[in-house]
Amino acid sequence: AAFSAALSKTPSISSISSEGRENLQGNQLETQIWITPEVQKIDVDFSEILNAIQGIAKDVNIFFDELEGVNSPSKDDDSLLHHGNLTCTSDDASRLEVVGEEAPDKNKTNGLYFRDGKCRIDYILVYRKSNPQTEKREVFERNIRAEGLQMEKESSLINSDIIFVKLHAPWEVLGKYAELMNVRMPFRRKIYYLHRRYKFMNRIEKQISRFRGWLPRKPMKLDKETLPDLEENDCYTAPFSQQRIHHFIIHNKDTFFNNATRSRIVHHILQRVKYEEGKNKIGLNRLLSNGSYEAAFPLHEGSYRSKNSIRTHGAENHRHLLYECWASWEVWYKYQPLDLVRRYFGEKIGLYFAWLGWYTGMLFPAAFIGLFVFLYGVTTLNHCQVSKEVCQATDIIMCPICDKYCPFMRLSDSCIYAKVTHLFDNGATVFFAVFMAVWATVFLEFWKRRRAVIAYDWDLIDWEEEEEEIRPQFEAKYSKKERMNPISGKPEPYQAFADKCSRLIVSASGIFFMICVVIAAVFGIVIYRVVTVSTFAAFKWALIRNNSQVATTGTAVCINFCIIMLLNVLYEKVALFLTNLEQPRTESEWENSFTLKMFLFQFVNLNSSTFYIAFFLGRFTGHPGAYLRLINRWRLEECHPSGCLIDLCMQMGIIMVLKQTWNNFMELGYPLIQNWWTRRKLRQEYGTQRKTSFPQWEKDYNLQPMNAYGLFDEYLEMILQFGFTTIFVAAFPLAPLLALLNNIIEIRLDAYKFVTQWRRPLASRAKDIGIWYGILEGIGILSVITNAFVIAVTSDFIPRLVYAYKYGPCAGQGEAGQKCMVGYVNASLSVFLVSDFENRSEPTSNGSEFSGSPLKYCRYRDYRDTPHSAVPYGYTLQFWHVLAARLAFIIVFEHLVFCIKHVISYLIPDLPKDLRDRMRREKYLIQEMMYEAELERLQKERKERKKNGKSYHNEWP
C-alpha cells in the first residue's frame, strides 16, 4: 500500500536512467527502486511502469530510508494476530489462501509447511510483541520480502506475546543465492573404474571374496536398506549455475536443495538484510544481540519417534532415521552414518563426529596394549623379586612419614602397595610409553588422510571460507579509523598496532595471573596433604590410622577435583573478558583466541596437581634429622615406602573417572532436566492431548538452544581426555581403556543430545577441525617429554636397571633378570640413627613394640651414607650413577621417539594415492561431461529449429 501510494502521487516519468534507478518522492516517503535489466532504457507511460514493476516484483529490492510508521498500522499490532491462527504476510497472500484449501492435509498438520501445504518452512524467527524494537523489525521484514522470501506469522499457543515468523525461500531465490554462494550440486552419476590387474591377482581376489562369503556379516556395519540413497554422494558435483541448469539432475525442484542447504541459504540472506539506516545496521546477528528477535533456528524434520517400526514401515523423516540408526543405544556398536549426519546438521558438525569416531577407533589398539601391560603385571606379580622382598621384609623398620604422630612401621606392611605398583610399573611400561608416543603421531597423520577423504566425499576440497564480516563490537570501537581492505577494496575499521599490542600484553598478564591462581590452589592442596597426614595418623579408627597416606591422597584428589570444577567456571568468565578486551576483528579470530585461552586455563587447572605428584612429591624432602619444611613449619610430604607411582595412579584414575562422569551429566542430564521441566509445565497447563498437537516450531522453541560457543565444549572435553591418555600414560596404562569406554558412550550421548534435546543447529561448512589440530600436535610433543620424565624420575625403572647391571648379583654379566634383583630393596634403603631426630620430628612411640626394646636405627628411601661414616648422610656413589642414568635415559628416549615420529610423519602422505588419482580423473571427467552436455544441448536446439522449419542465414555448419 505504501508503495502504491508513493507511485500514485509521482509525476509522469518518460524514461528510466541507464543505471536503472529512480528516486520516487511523495507524501514524505522516499522509495528507492532498483529496476532489473528487462525494463531498463525504455520509454513508457506511468501505467506501463506499474505493470512492469508488478511483473518483476520478486526481483525488486526495496529499502525504506524513512518510515511512515505514524499512519500505517504496525506489523506487530494485535489486530493482525490471533492466538494460534496463521497470518500470511507474503506478497501473494491471496494466492496462498486459495491454494491452501487444496493442499494435502498431512502437510498442513505436521507443522513443517505454510498453511498452503506446499511452501516448506526453511527458517524460524521468534520475537515478543512487548519488545520495543518494532521499527527495526518492520524494516527488516520488509526487506526480507523484497529479497523474495515468503513469510507467515503465528502467535504461540502457550504465550500470545511470543510471535513465530516462518520463512520460505522459493525456487528463484534458492537458485539465485546458490549460484552466488557456489553451492555444489549433483549433475552426473559417478563412473567407477578398476585398475588394470593381472590374472593371478584376480584369481586371488575371487578366492578371498569367496572366503568372505562364508564369514558372518560385519555386525558394526549399518543396514544399507535402512539408509536412504544420498544422491549427492554418488554423483559428481559442480557449483550451481542457472545458465547451465540443464546439466544438473533435477527430479523435483522442491527437493533438489535439501533442508540444510535451504536453511543455510536463508540464513545467508538474513545476514545481509538491512534493518536500519546506516552503514553497519545490517544482519540477523545484530538483531539477536540487541534483543529485536529472541531466537532464530531452522526446524527439525518432524518427530524423532514413530509408532511404527523402522524395519517394517521405514523412516518417517531424516530425524527419525538418525535417532534409530545413530542416537539410539541399541546401535552403540555400529558405525556412524556420517553422510546422513552431514546432510542433516552440516559439514562442521559432521566433521566433529567423524573426528570423534576416528579417535575412538584409534583408541582400540592403545586400549588393547594398555590392558596387555596391566595383565602382564598381573601374571608376573608372583615372580617379581622386588615385591617379594617387600612382603618378606618383616625385620626392616621404616622411619615415620610425618612428625610426632606417625609411628614406625614394618616395610612388609606396604606389601599390597608394592604389588599394586608392579601392576603399572613393570618391564612393559617403557615399551608402552614408546608405543603411545608413536600412536599419537600415527593417529594425527592418519586423521589427515581420513580428513582428506571426507573433504573429497563432501565437496570440501576446493571450498574456501567467505570473507568474514567484522564483529559489531570491533566496528563500534574503531569506527573512526578506517583503511582499505586489500581483499574487498572497501574501507573498514582499523585497529592501530600500538593499541593491539597493549591489549595483547594486558591479556597475557591476565593469563599469567590466572596460572598463578592455579599454582596457589595446588599449593593449598600440598598444605592440606601435609597437615592431614598427621591428623589421619592419630585418628581413632584403625582403618584410617593404618592407611593414613592413602586416605590423605584420596581426599586430596576429591578436594582437588572440586577446586578444578569451581575454577573452570571462573576461567570461562576471565577468558571471555580477556578475549573481548583484545577486540578480535572477526568471529573466527575471536573463537581461536577464546579457544586457546580456555584450553590453556583448563589444561593447567586439570594437570597442575598431577605434575606436582609426578615430579615433585617426595623429591625435595631432605632426610630424617634434616627435613625440608614449608615456611619453616610443615614438613614436606614423602612418598610411600613402595614409591610415588601409586599416588599418581590414584590421582589420574579418580580425576579421569569423575571428570568424564560430570561432563556426561552436564551434557545430557542438564538439558534433559530442563526439557522435562518445560514439558511438565505444558502438561499441567494444557494437558497431554493439547501438547501433542503443538506445531513443530512450538516444539523446537521449547528445546534447548545449542551452546553459544558451538562445538567448543565437545572438542575441549575430548582434547583434555587426549592429554590424559597420552601425557601420563606411562604411570596409568589403563587410561586409553577408560577413554575408549567413555567415548563409546560419548558418541551416543552427543548424538542423542543433537537429535532430541537441542534445537536444530544451522548447517555450516568447515574443511577441518580448526585450531584443535595444532593443540593435538602440541599435546603429542609434550607427551613424549612427560613420559620420559615419568619413567626416569617417578618410576623405579632406572634404579632397578642400574642395580641389576652395576650392583646386583649379575653385575658385569650383562644380564637383568629377576634373579639379578636379589637384594635390591635393601640396597635402595638408607640407615638413620633414631637419636638424631629433631625435637619436633621425634615420634611419640620409641618402637619398642617391634623388638621389646627402643629402636636404635630405622630405614628410609634414599641413597645416603651411614650415620657413622666420614660424611654422615652424604650421597653415595650409587645415587650419582642413578642420576646420570636418569638423565641419559631422558635424552635417549626423547631423541629416539622424536626421530620415529618424524620418520612416520614423513612416510605417511597427507593425501592417499588412490584419492589423488580419483581427484585428477574426476576433474578430467567433469570437463568431458560439461563439453558433452553442452554439445548435446546445441545439437538438440539445432534439431528443433530444423523441425520447426526455422533457419538462419550465415549459420555455421
Side-chain angles (χ1 to χ4, degrees):
F3 186 57
S4 301
L7 290 178
S8 62
K9 298 193 177 184
T10 303
S12 176
I13 301 175
S14 59
S15 63
I16 298 177
S17 63
S18 60
E19 297 179 359
R21 179 176 177 178
E22 193 71 23
N23 292 333
L24 304 178
Q25 299 180 353
N27 199 15
Q28 298 181 352
L29 174 66
E30 180 180 354
T31 306
Q32 298 178 357
I33 306 172
W34 279 259
I35 305 299
T36 55
E38 289 81 357
V39 295
Q40 286 184 5
K41 298 182 180 180
I42 56 174
D43 293 328
V44 293
D45 59 11
F46 183 62
S47 60
E48 291 178 350
I49 292 178
L50 288 179
N51 294 332
I53 291 174
Q54 292 175 358
I56 57 168
K58 292 182 181 180
D59 296 328
V60 177
N61 203 355
I62 305 174
F63 294 90
F64 288 87
D65 295 327
E66 296 180 5
L67 297 175
E68 49 180 356
V70 179
N71 299 324
S72 60
S74 172
K75 297 295 179 184
D76 298 337
D77 191 7
D78 293 339
S79 61
L80 296 179
L81 289 170
H82 299 282
H83 188 74
N85 288 341
L86 294 170
T87 302
C88 177
T89 61
S90 60
D91 292 335
D92 46 357
S94 60
R95 181 182 60 83
L96 293 178
E97 291 177 0
V98 176
V99 179
E101 298 174 358
E102 302 174 358
D105 294 336
K106 183 179 179 180
N107 289 350
K108 291 181 182 180
T109 57
N110 61 9
L112 300 176
Y113 290 82
F114 279 15
R115 62 176 176 179
D116 65 347
K118 293 184 178 180
C119 296
R120 189 176 188 89
I121 300 173
D122 298 321
Y123 213 80
I124 291 290
L125 303 176
V126 186
Y127 69 89
R128 292 181 181 271
K129 288 190 292 182
S130 57
N131 190 284
Q133 307 283 351
T134 303
E135 293 185 355
K136 294 179 181 178
R137 284 197 303 271
E138 284 184 6
V139 179
F140 187 71
E141 292 172 6
R142 288 169 183 167
N143 290 330
I144 287 176
R145 294 194 298 273
E147 288 288 344
L149 296 181
Q150 296 178 6
M151 185 188 306
E152 279 187 357
K153 289 186 179 181
E154 181 170 355
S155 61
S156 172
L157 295 174
I158 303 173
N159 187 353
S160 60
D161 188 46
I162 298 176
I163 306 299
F164 295 98
V165 181
K166 299 171 286 183
L167 301 178
H168 167 75
W171 169 258
E172 295 79 6
V173 176
L174 292 173
K176 173 185 174 183
Y177 280 94
E179 186 171 358
L180 291 175
M181 297 168 63
N182 290 323
V183 177
R184 300 182 70 91
M185 301 303 295
F187 73 94
R188 188 66 63 89
R189 286 280 180 182
K190 285 185 178 180
I191 302 174
Y192 296 97
Y193 70 100
L194 297 175
H195 294 286
R196 184 177 180 182
R197 300 180 182 273
Y198 296 100
K199 293 183 179 179
F200 176 73
M201 295 298 296
N202 288 334
R203 291 176 182 174
I204 292 179
E205 287 185 355
K206 287 181 180 179
Q207 295 296 329
I208 293 176
S209 61
R210 186 178 300 175
F211 175 73
R212 285 178 179 174
W214 298 338
L215 297 176
R217 188 176 63 87
K218 291 183 179 180
M220 292 181 293
K221 283 191 174 182
L222 291 165
D223 187 5
K224 292 184 178 180
E225 297 179 357
T226 308
L227 294 175
D229 181 20
L230 301 180
E231 189 174 64
E232 59 264 32
N233 293 336
D234 295 328
C235 297
Y236 294 115
T237 61
F240 183 76
S241 173
Q242 289 181 317
Q243 294 181 349
R244 297 183 176 181
I245 195 171
H246 51 276
H247 292 172
F248 296 91
I249 304 174
I250 305 178
H251 301 302
N252 186 354
K253 288 185 177 181
D254 294 334
T255 58
F256 178 65
F257 297 103
N258 60 45
N259 295 329
T261 304
R262 296 173 68 99
S263 300
R264 186 157 55 92
I265 292 174
V266 173
H267 182 78
H268 178 87
I269 297 172
L270 297 179
Q271 290 297 91
R272 286 153 180 81
V273 172
K274 299 191 82 172
Y275 61 85
E276 198 174 46
E277 179 61 25
K279 182 174 63 175
N280 300 323
K281 308 296 185 180
I282 185 173
L284 175 63
N285 285 347
R286 288 181 173 87
L287 289 175
L288 289 171
S289 61
N290 64 27
S292 297
Y293 286 100
E294 189 173 298
F297 53 89
L299 286 180
H300 277 296
E301 298 181 8
S303 175
Y304 63 90
R305 294 186 182 274
S306 176
K307 298 179 181 178
N308 303 318
S309 172
I310 193 174
R311 298 185 178 277
T312 56
H313 293 76
E316 294 189 356
N317 51 65
H318 283 165
R319 190 187 185 192
H320 179 215
L321 183 62
L322 278 173
Y323 178 78
E324 294 289 342
C325 300
W326 183 46
S328 176
W329 292 107
E330 297 177 359
V331 293
W332 63 270
Y333 59 93
K334 289 186 177 292
Y335 294 131
Q336 300 183 85
L338 292 177
D339 290 329
L340 193 61
V341 175
R342 172 243 180 172
R343 180 167 185 169
Y344 194 83
F345 292 110
E347 286 79 3
K348 193 170 185 178
I349 295 177
L351 270 173
Y352 163 71
F353 282 103
W355 176 84
L356 181 57
W358 183 257
Y359 170 46
T360 304
M362 288 293 290
L363 279 174
F364 273 97
F368 176 78
I369 299 297
L371 184 61
F372 170 78
V373 171
F374 179 78
L375 294 178
Y376 173 80
V378 173
T379 55
T380 59
L381 184 60
N382 296 328
H383 306 286
C384 178
Q385 181 64 30
V386 176
S387 60
K388 281 183 181 179
E389 291 186 359
V390 171
C391 294
Q392 297 170 1
T394 56
D395 57 338
I396 298 179
I397 308 301
M398 302 297 296
C399 297
I401 59 176
C402 67
D403 293 337
K404 291 186 178 295
Y405 299 108
C406 290
F408 295 97
M409 59 180 294
R410 288 188 175 91
L411 180 60
S412 58
D413 292 342
S414 60
C415 175
I416 296 177
Y417 303 113
K419 291 182 177 180
V420 173
T421 300
H422 177 74
L423 299 179
F424 301 100
D425 185 14
N426 50 63
T429 304
V430 179
F431 159 75
F432 185 59
V434 176
F435 170 80
M436 287 304 297
V438 174
W439 173 86
T441 302
V442 172
F443 161 66
L444 293 177
E445 292 299 322
F446 275 94
W447 163 248
K448 286 195 287 187
R449 293 167 61 88
R450 173 63 176 161
R451 188 204 64 83
V453 174
I454 292 175
Y456 170 78
D457 291 337
W458 293 356
D459 293 323
L460 299 173
I461 294 292
D462 299 325
W463 178 78
E464 295 293 338
E465 291 190 26
E466 300 177 2
E467 178 67 16
E468 287 193 86
E469 296 181 2
I470 299 176
R471 297 178 67 242
Q473 296 85 346
F474 185 87
E475 288 180 340
K477 181 70 176 177
Y478 301 103
S479 58
K480 296 181 180 180
K481 295 182 180 180
E482 291 187 348
R483 73 172 183 178
M484 298 297 292
N485 187 317
I487 299 175
S488 62
K490 298 178 181 179
E492 66 178 18
Y494 167 68
Q495 184 182 16
F497 180 76
D499 180 76
K500 187 174 184 178
C501 287
S502 61
R503 291 177 178 275
L504 288 176
I505 291 173
V506 174
S507 178
S509 302
I511 295 173
F512 178 75
F513 173 76
M514 293 308 300
I515 292 177
C516 292
V517 172
V518 176
I519 296 174
V522 174
F523 185 75
I525 295 295
V526 172
I527 295 177
Y528 169 82
R529 295 171 69 104
V530 169
V531 173
T532 310
V533 68
S534 300
T535 305
F536 283 157
F539 211 74
K540 296 180 179 179
W541 296 347
L543 179 63
I544 296 179
R545 185 173 61 251
N546 297 334
N547 300 278
S548 59
Q549 198 164 15
V550 176
T552 300
T553 302
T555 55
V557 171
C558 294
I559 294 174
N560 185 34
F561 174 75
C562 296
I563 293 176
I564 287 172
M565 302 311 297
L566 290 175
L567 287 179
N568 282 344
V569 179
L570 176 63
Y571 291 157
E572 182 175 347
K573 296 181 179 180
V574 173
L576 192 63
F577 172 77
L578 293 178
T579 306
N580 291 330
L581 182 66
E582 291 178 8
Q583 291 290 349
R585 177 177 170 273
T586 61
E587 287 295 337
S588 63
E589 292 178 6
W590 188 95
E591 184 179 342
N592 290 341
S593 178
F594 179 77
T595 298
L596 195 59
K597 289 181 181 63
M598 280 297 294
F599 168 75
L600 186 61
F601 287 159
Q602 296 218 16
F603 181 80
V604 173
N605 186 29
L606 194 63
N607 294 282
S608 54
S609 57
T610 310
F611 271 90
Y612 164 75
I613 293 174
F615 305 128
F616 297 99
L617 179 63
R619 304 282 175 253
F620 310 101
T621 58
H623 63 86
Y627 285 116
L628 296 178
R629 296 184 179 273
L630 204 62
I631 321 179
N632 199 27
R633 181 177 180 182
W634 293 299
R635 171 183 162 184
L636 291 175
E637 188 181 6
E638 291 186 40
C639 289
H640 198 272
S642 298
C644 293
L645 200 68
I646 187 67
D647 296 314
L648 184 59
C649 291
M650 287 181 62
Q651 173 81 12
M652 290 191 62
I654 294 176
I655 291 293
M656 198 168 184
V657 172
L658 290 180
K659 177 73 173 173
Q660 293 181 159
T661 304
W662 176 259
N663 286 339
N664 290 335
F665 170 76
M666 291 302 295
E667 282 189 7
L668 184 63
Y670 184 67
L672 272 174
I673 293 173
Q674 285 186 314
N675 291 334
W676 171 81
W677 184 256
T678 303
R679 291 193 300 269
R680 181 175 178 273
K681 290 194 299 184
L682 292 178
R683 283 196 299 267
Q684 290 179 351
E685 294 181 10
Y686 300 99
T688 306
Q689 295 181 355
R690 184 68 181 272
K691 176 186 172 298
T692 56
S693 63
F694 284 165
Q696 189 64 41
W697 56 82
E698 193 92 48
K699 296 177 182 177
D700 287 3
Y701 177 71
N702 291 324
L703 295 177
Q704 298 302 309
M706 188 179 177
N707 194 313
Y709 307 128
L711 293 169
F712 171 79
D713 286 341
E714 280 72 21
Y715 273 118
L716 180 63
E717 179 187 354
M718 290 296 104
I719 299 300
L720 291 176
Q721 184 205 83
F722 179 80
F724 255 95
T725 306
T726 55
I727 292 178
F728 293 105
V729 73
F732 192 56
L734 294 179
L737 179 61
L738 293 179
L740 174 63
L741 297 177
N742 175 79
N743 286 8
I744 292 175
I745 300 173
E746 180 74 21
I747 290 176
R748 306 304 162 180
L749 280 180
D750 285 347
Y752 185 82
K753 176 178 62 180
F754 272 93
V755 174
T756 67
Q757 301 302 310
W758 279 1
R759 296 174 190 164
R760 185 177 183 176
L762 180 70
S764 55
R765 310 199 85 190
K767 294 183 69 172
D768 50 31
I769 61 176
I771 194 176
W772 296 110
Y773 184 83
I775 293 175
L776 286 171
E777 286 186 325
I779 292 176
I781 295 173
L782 181 63
S783 67
V784 177
I785 301 172
T786 53
N787 282 307
F789 275 90
V790 166
I791 296 172
V793 178
T794 310
S795 73
D796 289 337
F797 175 77
I798 298 299
R800 293 174 187 175
L801 210 61
V802 171
Y803 178 81
Y805 283 101
K806 184 68 178 176
Y807 298 96
C810 304
Q813 301 179 11
E815 297 181 11
Q818 290 297 326
K819 64 179 181 178
C820 301
M821 298 304 298
V822 176
Y824 167 76
V825 173
N826 186 59
S828 63
L829 298 176
S830 300
V831 179
F832 178 72
L833 186 63
V834 174
S835 60
D836 291 341
F837 266 124
E838 300 172 301
N839 291 331
R840 53 182 173 179
S841 298
E842 189 174 357
T844 54
S845 64
N846 56 8
S848 58
E849 64 271 16
F850 295 105
S851 59
S853 60
L855 285 175
K856 293 184 178 180
Y857 299 97
C858 64
R859 310 292 295 271
Y860 62 97
R861 282 175 56 95
D862 209 342
Y863 297 100
R864 292 183 181 270
D865 290 325
T866 61
H868 305 293
S869 61
V871 183
Y873 306 115
Y875 286 116
T876 63
L877 183 63
Q878 187 176 357
F879 169 82
W880 298 108
H881 284 164
V882 171
L883 180 61
R886 282 173 169 168
L887 295 177
F889 175 83
I890 290 172
I891 295 173
V892 172
F893 182 87
E894 289 181 356
H895 283 70
L896 176 64
V897 174
F898 278 131
C899 181
I900 295 174
K901 285 168 68 73
H902 286 299
V903 170
I904 290 176
S905 61
Y906 175 77
L907 293 178
I908 301 177
D910 295 344
L911 203 64
K913 185 179 182 302
D914 60 336
L915 178 61
R916 187 182 297 111
D917 295 339
R918 286 165 59 191
M919 290 170 59
R920 291 175 179 173
R921 178 168 177 79
E922 178 173 334
K923 288 183 178 179
Y924 169 76
L925 290 175
I926 287 176
Q927 292 178 354
E928 291 293 323
M929 291 175 185
M930 285 289 188
Y931 293 148
E932 291 176 2
E934 191 67 23
L935 182 61
E936 182 180 351
R937 184 182 67 85
L938 293 174
Q939 291 177 348
K940 186 176 180 181
E941 291 180 355
R942 185 177 180 183
K943 290 180 180 179
E944 289 180 355
R945 288 199 301 267
K946 288 183 177 180
K947 184 178 180 180
N948 297 332
K950 296 181 179 180
S951 60
Y952 298 93
H953 298 290
N954 302 326
E955 183 179 358
W956 286 92

